[in-house]
Amino acid sequence: MHPIMAADLDHLPAVLEAARRSAERILAGLDERPAAHTTSSTGPHRALPEDGSGAQHALEQFLRRWEPGFSGSAGPRFLGFVTGGTTPAALVGDWLTGTLDQNVHAAAGSSAAELERETVGWLRELFGLDAGHSGAFVSGATMSNFVRLAIGREWLGEQAGVSVNQDGAAALGPIHVLSGTPHSSTYKALSMLGIGRNHLNTVPCLPGREAVDVEALERALTELDGRPAIVVANAGTVNTTDFDDLRALTALRERHPFWLHVDAAFGGFAALSPEHAPLVDGLNEADSLCIDLHKWLNVPYDSAIQFTRHRTLQTSVFGNWAAYLGTPADGTDFSQLTPENSRRLRALAAWFSLTAYGRVGHRTIVETNTALARRLADRISHTPGLRLLAPVRLNVVCFTLADNPTMDQLNALARTLTEAGEAFLTPTVYAGVPALRAAFSNWRTSLADADRVYDAVVEASGLTPN
Ligand SMILES: *Cc1c(COP(=O)(O)O)cnc(C)c1O
């Protein structure tokens, strides 16, 4: 063994204690840590160390050179994109994931895969899905959408009597993908799958909405004249958290052949709150769906889940066999279900959080966040000089400055908020209007935080609070 490693091993309790103390200090400072930074002042990159200096020194280096420039994205006022934090139990699960370093593979001599199965079952129940859905952890919603669309593509092959996994996507000819307000990751998935970004046909939405116009979708399907398609439904759009009418889309399947994929990356969490659950009514009927866990479940990156009712097709796409792997032929192993072969036990952080806080604890995160979004929106809508761009359906507040601001003005406003260390909000364009989004999805965010964000927005815009 390398002598420095041997020394670290000898002093493992002290090494771990130092790391624990750092984590404790960082977490204690999270509420006051700047939500984000606008510049990075880390200096030039260093050369690869020839002789290392041990774990304690590495920790000191990290804390000195890098940690100060890291954002407060785990904290309560990082409201950019859709960003969750990490519950205490999820953090413990994540630490132990690295500690035990399991490869979730059936033949790897571990019960880790069973833990993932138990967790998948809990999540299925949490999101109101029946046992017909099988699931697996992946690294994020983009990867989840990719996996789902790959299975949809295989299904199109089955309809046409060709095998895409054997003969390639070209065997299918042009593929028709229809969606109202798809997330950018859907385009990325189509690029990765050899379907092509241009084959996404965006269908008109309802007036003033981001939800697909079901009649327009039906017209588009009718034009396909019986050729099978993929429909990507959106359950929670990033700008206004709008939801396609999943029941109506499901009903269309009685008249038209299509694979129904639902991108419910964060909108799926509406199912946890009785008040919001109607937004995802029909989710269970999807052929496949995607839910991000590093967003609203508040487990660390990288974690999402994909569900499908068509595991046999999934195994056709992702199956992987070699004598030395000893993979079961029945497609029950996770390595047959997702792009990775060796994969980390992502489920453990989710297992910890669900064990520690249960359905009710996680419902409370959703309900608290939605109440805070509503409060911020309410204050914004009563503030002359600010304008709410859409009603708050769930957890995102989309707003702008009252008199036709430019994108530059909104970018400057976001920057001022960041520089003040008060909040991280991300700019967007909604219905052609430059805007800011505040997305609430962190378990730590309180009423005081929501009000602090409001005060910071008002101050940075030079307005008078309401
Ligand atoms: C965040 C998000 C994604 C992509 O998720 P990643 O975890 O960043 O890969 C996809 N769809 C929707 C609706 C999202 O909100």
Side-chain angles (χ1 to χ4, degrees), residues 144-223:
S144 184
N145 280 330
F146 169 79
V147 170
R148 315 304 351 125
L149 292 171
I151 307 171
R153 188 184 61 176
E154 196 70 21
W155 175 83
L156 290 176
E158 195 180 64
Q159 305 310 299
V162 299
S163 167
V164 175
N165 80 83
Q166 297 293 333
D167 298 321
L172 266 180
I175 295 176
H176 304 280
V177 183
L178 307 168
S179 188
T181 310
H183 186 265
S184 56
S185 61
T186 292
Y187 290 95
K188 180 170 177 167
L190 295 179
S191 160
M192 291 194 285
L193 286 163
I195 294 175
R197 297 173 198 256
N198 286 344
H199 287 274
L200 199 150
N201 175 1
T202 48
V203 177
C205 291
L206 296 168
R209 297 276 303 273
E210 287 185 305
V212 74
D213 177 341
V214 178
E215 284 173 20
L217 177 61
E218 173 138 41
R219 280 195 296 277
L221 288 165
T222 305
E223 276 169 28

Side-chain angles (χ1 to χ4, degrees), residues 81-82 139-145 181-186 188 234-238 263-267 290 292-295 301-304 437:
F81 320 114
V82 180
S139 58
T142 300
M143 196 47 98
S144 184
N145 280 330
T181 310
H183 186 265
S184 56
S185 61
T186 292
K188 180 170 177 167
N234 301 291
T237 57
V238 289
D263 181 349
F266 68 98
C290 141
D292 228 341
L293 303 176
H294 54 218
K295 287 178 179 163
Y301 294 108
D302 47 12
S303 185
R437 299 167 58 257

